[in-house]
Amino acid sequence: MITKEDIIKIQEKIMRYRGVVVHDFINIESMIGSIISIYFAKDNKNNEFNRKVIDDEYFSFGLKVKILEKLKFKVYKTFFEDTRRIGNIRNLFSHQVPTLEEGFFIYNADKESSNHIKMAELYKEFRDKYSKIDEQLNIIFNELVNIKK
């Protein structure tokens, strides 16, 4: 039988995982937004471009990734696949309630069958991909900043 203490421990673990995933995802999304801004906006319009375009509620993460992809920066082979995947993982942590088995039900395309994936596995996948994505984005950002000098 699951006790109240067990549920509290699960809730605390969920909070830690969610906090890291959401925090790190925001960093990635911000870096992508900065790269797009530096690429397209003149220095004197950069802040305005960020406020009016990049930070607009309808300028989705998916759109930012698609634009970044069209800019044809040199990236590692699975960069865009990894970037989209961390967006999916972030959505799971943000919008789904985990099971008491500390996982999420991931529904298949037919919407009738599902898989159960442990939070710890998703968290590890997120952290592994995050490190590579963050490193790649920093390289792109630094290249752009040096070109603008």
Side-chain angles (χ1 to χ4, degrees):
M1 181 173 159
I2 295 180
T3 67
K4 184 175 183 173
E5 289 77 27
D6 294 333
I7 292 173
I8 290 171
K9 285 179 185 177
I10 292 170
Q11 288 173 331
E12 288 172 351
K13 186 184 286 186
I14 293 166
M15 286 188 295
R16 281 193 308 274
Y17 284 163
R18 277 186 173 153
V20 171
V21 167
V22 170
H23 176 270
D24 288 352
F25 182 82
I26 289 169
N27 288 342
I28 294 295
E29 187 169 18
S30 296
M31 183 63 90
I32 292 171
S34 295
I35 289 167
I36 293 169
S37 290
I38 292 168
Y39 187 90
F40 285 109
K42 294 181 180 178
D43 289 338
N44 64 337
K45 292 286 189 177
N46 196 288
N47 286 336
E48 183 179 5
F49 184 78
N50 275 321
R51 280 192 321 276
K52 293 182 177 177
V53 178
I54 299 294
D55 294 338
D56 186 274
E57 63 187 282
Y58 295 107
F59 204 89
S60 69
F61 179 71
L63 179 58
K64 290 172 189 169
V65 172
K66 189 68 175 169
I67 290 170
L68 186 63
E69 194 170 16
K70 289 180 179 186
L71 297 180
K72 303 287 187 195
F73 290 109
K74 184 179 177 185
V75 295
Y76 67 88
K77 187 175 182 175
T78 60
F79 174 79
F80 291 105
E81 179 182 320
D82 289 352
T83 303
R84 288 183 178 95
R85 177 65 179 149
I86 68 164
N88 292 337
I89 293 171
R90 176 257 183 226
N91 286 341
L92 287 171
F93 275 97
S94 296
H95 300 292
Q96 283 200 13
V97 176
T99 66
L100 290 177
E101 292 83 30
E102 302 180 36
F104 298 106
F105 285 109
I106 312 299
Y107 289 93
N108 298 322
D110 63 14
K111 300 288 184 197
E112 294 180 18
S113 60
S114 64
N115 296 317
H116 187 262
I117 299 178
K118 294 280 189 186
M119 282 189 313
E121 293 170 20
L122 284 172
Y123 179 78
K124 181 182 180 327
E125 180 184 356
F126 181 92
R127 293 297 300 155
D128 291 345
K129 290 182 185 315
Y130 171 84
S131 297
K132 291 175 17 184
I133 294 165
D134 185 56
E135 182 178 333
Q136 183 69 73
L137 289 173
N138 276 294
I139 290 168
I140 294 168
F141 181 85
N142 289 328
E143 287 174 1
L144 270 178
V145 168
N146 288 332
I147 290 170
K148 287 273 187 167
K149 285 183 180 178

PDB file of all heavy atoms in Angstrom, residues 107-118:
ATOM      1  N   TYR A 107       0.949   8.340 -25.211  1.00  0.00           N
ATOM      2  CA  TYR A 107      -0.014   7.725 -26.118  1.00  0.00           C
ATOM      3  C   TYR A 107       0.558   7.616 -27.518  1.00  0.00           C
ATOM      4  O   TYR A 107       1.206   8.532 -28.018  1.00  0.00           O
ATOM      5  CB  TYR A 107      -1.331   8.505 -26.106  1.00  0.00           C
ATOM      6  CG  TYR A 107      -2.052   8.309 -24.803  1.00  0.00           C
ATOM      7  CD1 TYR A 107      -1.872   9.195 -23.745  1.00  0.00           C
ATOM      8  CD2 TYR A 107      -2.851   7.192 -24.607  1.00  0.00           C
ATOM      9  CE1 TYR A 107      -2.491   8.988 -22.528  1.00  0.00           C
ATOM     10  CE2 TYR A 107      -3.475   6.971 -23.385  1.00  0.00           C
ATOM     11  CZ  TYR A 107      -3.301   7.866 -22.353  1.00  0.00           C
ATOM     12  OH  TYR A 107      -3.896   7.647 -21.144  1.00  0.00           O
ATOM     13  N   ASN A 108       0.295   6.504 -28.148  1.00  0.00           N
ATOM     14  CA  ASN A 108       0.744   6.256 -29.512  1.00  0.00           C
ATOM     15  C   ASN A 108      -0.168   6.981 -30.498  1.00  0.00           C
ATOM     16  O   ASN A 108      -1.201   7.534 -30.112  1.00  0.00           O
ATOM     17  CB  ASN A 108       0.765   4.747 -29.788  1.00  0.00           C
ATOM     18  CG  ASN A 108       1.744   4.030 -28.873  1.00  0.00           C
ATOM     19  OD1 ASN A 108       2.817   4.542 -28.574  1.00  0.00           O
ATOM     20  ND2 ASN A 108       1.371   2.854 -28.401  1.00  0.00           N
ATOM     21  N   ALA A 109       0.216   6.965 -31.739  1.00  0.00           N
ATOM     22  CA  ALA A 109      -0.515   7.689 -32.781  1.00  0.00           C
ATOM     23  C   ALA A 109      -1.991   7.295 -32.838  1.00  0.00           C
ATOM     24  O   ALA A 109      -2.845   8.124 -33.126  1.00  0.00           O
ATOM     25  CB  ALA A 109       0.150   7.485 -34.133  1.00  0.00           C
ATOM     26  N   ASP A 110      -2.307   6.042 -32.533  1.00  0.00           N
ATOM     27  CA  ASP A 110      -3.702   5.599 -32.597  1.00  0.00           C
ATOM     28  C   ASP A 110      -4.543   6.126 -31.429  1.00  0.00           C
ATOM     29  O   ASP A 110      -5.756   5.978 -31.412  1.00  0.00           O
ATOM     30  CB  ASP A 110      -3.792   4.073 -32.664  1.00  0.00           C
ATOM     31  CG  ASP A 110      -3.223   3.395 -31.410  1.00  0.00           C
ATOM     32  OD1 ASP A 110      -3.000   4.051 -30.378  1.00  0.00           O
ATOM     33  OD2 ASP A 110      -3.004   2.174 -31.494  1.00  0.00           O
ATOM     34  N   LYS A 111      -3.899   6.764 -30.449  1.00  0.00           N
ATOM     35  CA  LYS A 111      -4.536   7.372 -29.269  1.00  0.00           C
ATOM     36  C   LYS A 111      -5.254   6.348 -28.385  1.00  0.00           C
ATOM     37  O   LYS A 111      -5.952   6.708 -27.460  1.00  0.00           O
ATOM     38  CB  LYS A 111      -5.518   8.483 -29.658  1.00  0.00           C
ATOM     39  CG  LYS A 111      -4.901   9.627 -30.422  1.00  0.00           C
ATOM     40  CD  LYS A 111      -4.032  10.461 -29.528  1.00  0.00           C
ATOM     41  CE  LYS A 111      -3.509  11.663 -30.307  1.00  0.00           C
ATOM     42  NZ  LYS A 111      -2.408  12.289 -29.707  1.00  0.00           N
ATOM     43  N   GLU A 112      -5.121   5.073 -28.704  1.00  0.00           N
ATOM     44  CA  GLU A 112      -5.776   4.047 -27.911  1.00  0.00           C
ATOM     45  C   GLU A 112      -4.786   3.219 -27.104  1.00  0.00           C
ATOM     46  O   GLU A 112      -5.143   2.644 -26.084  1.00  0.00           O
ATOM     47  CB  GLU A 112      -6.623   3.147 -28.810  1.00  0.00           C
ATOM     48  CG  GLU A 112      -7.793   3.901 -29.414  1.00  0.00           C
ATOM     49  CD  GLU A 112      -8.654   3.031 -30.303  1.00  0.00           C
ATOM     50  OE1 GLU A 112      -8.566   1.799 -30.199  1.00  0.00           O
ATOM     51  OE2 GLU A 112      -9.417   3.597 -31.097  1.00  0.00           O
ATOM     52  N   SER A 113      -3.559   3.154 -27.548  1.00  0.00           N
ATOM     53  CA  SER A 113      -2.541   2.401 -26.813  1.00  0.00           C
ATOM     54  C   SER A 113      -1.496   3.375 -26.285  1.00  0.00           C
ATOM     55  O   SER A 113      -1.369   4.494 -26.770  1.00  0.00           O
ATOM     56  CB  SER A 113      -1.897   1.352 -27.719  1.00  0.00           C
ATOM     57  OG  SER A 113      -1.280   1.969 -28.819  1.00  0.00           O
ATOM     58  N   SER A 114      -0.777   2.938 -25.272  1.00  0.00           N
ATOM     59  CA  SER A 114       0.207   3.837 -24.674  1.00  0.00           C
ATOM     60  C   SER A 114       1.391   3.055 -24.125  1.00  0.00           C
ATOM     61  O   SER A 114       1.323   1.840 -23.951  1.00  0.00           O
ATOM     62  CB  SER A 114      -0.430   4.649 -23.547  1.00  0.00           C
ATOM     63  OG  SER A 114      -0.848   3.790 -22.505  1.00  0.00           O
ATOM     64  N   ASN A 115       2.449   3.779 -23.871  1.00  0.00           N
ATOM     65  CA  ASN A 115       3.634   3.244 -23.215  1.00  0.00           C
ATOM     66  C   ASN A 115       3.812   3.986 -21.908  1.00  0.00           C
ATOM     67  O   ASN A 115       3.451   5.150 -21.790  1.00  0.00           O
ATOM     68  CB  ASN A 115       4.888   3.473 -24.078  1.00  0.00           C
ATOM     69  CG  ASN A 115       4.822   2.737 -25.384  1.00  0.00           C
ATOM     70  OD1 ASN A 115       4.425   1.587 -25.436  1.00  0.00           O
ATOM     71  ND2 ASN A 115       5.199   3.408 -26.453  1.00  0.00           N
ATOM     72  N   HIS A 116       4.396   3.332 -20.942  1.00  0.00           N
ATOM     73  CA  HIS A 116       4.684   3.979 -19.669  1.00  0.00           C
ATOM     74  C   HIS A 116       6.185   4.240 -19.611  1.00  0.00           C
ATOM     75  O   HIS A 116       6.979   3.316 -19.748  1.00  0.00           O
ATOM     76  CB  HIS A 116       4.245   3.070 -18.513  1.00  0.00           C
ATOM     77  CG  HIS A 116       4.350   3.744 -17.190  1.00  0.00           C
ATOM     78  ND1 HIS A 116       5.417   3.567 -16.357  1.00  0.00           N
ATOM     79  CD2 HIS A 116       3.522   4.594 -16.560  1.00  0.00           C
ATOM     80  CE1 HIS A 116       5.234   4.277 -15.264  1.00  0.00           C
ATOM     81  NE2 HIS A 116       4.088   4.909 -15.358  1.00  0.00           N
ATOM     82  N   ILE A 117       6.561   5.487 -19.442  1.00  0.00           N
ATOM     83  CA  ILE A 117       7.974   5.852 -19.393  1.00  0.00           C
ATOM     84  C   ILE A 117       8.264   6.476 -18.033  1.00  0.00           C
ATOM     85  O   ILE A 117       7.561   7.382 -17.584  1.00  0.00           O
ATOM     86  CB  ILE A 117       8.329   6.850 -20.521  1.00  0.00           C
ATOM     87  CG1 ILE A 117       8.061   6.204 -21.881  1.00  0.00           C
ATOM     88  CG2 ILE A 117       9.772   7.303 -20.412  1.00  0.00           C
ATOM     89  CD1 ILE A 117       8.327   7.105 -23.060  1.00  0.00           C
ATOM     90  N   LYS A 118       9.303   6.002 -17.401  1.00  0.00           N
ATOM     91  CA  LYS A 118       9.693   6.506 -16.083  1.00  0.00           C
ATOM     92  C   LYS A 118      10.228   7.927 -16.174  1.00  0.00           C
ATOM     93  O   LYS A 118      10.971   8.269 -17.100  1.00  0.00           O
ATOM     94  CB  LYS A 118      10.780   5.613 -15.463  1.00  0.00           C
ATOM     95  CG  LYS A 118      10.322   4.217 -15.136  1.00  0.00           C
ATOM     96  CD  LYS A 118       9.565   4.225 -13.845  1.00  0.00           C
ATOM     97  CE  LYS A 118       9.277   2.807 -13.391  1.00  0.00           C
ATOM     98  NZ  LYS A 118       8.445   2.785 -12.233  1.00  0.00           N
TER      99      LYS A 118
END
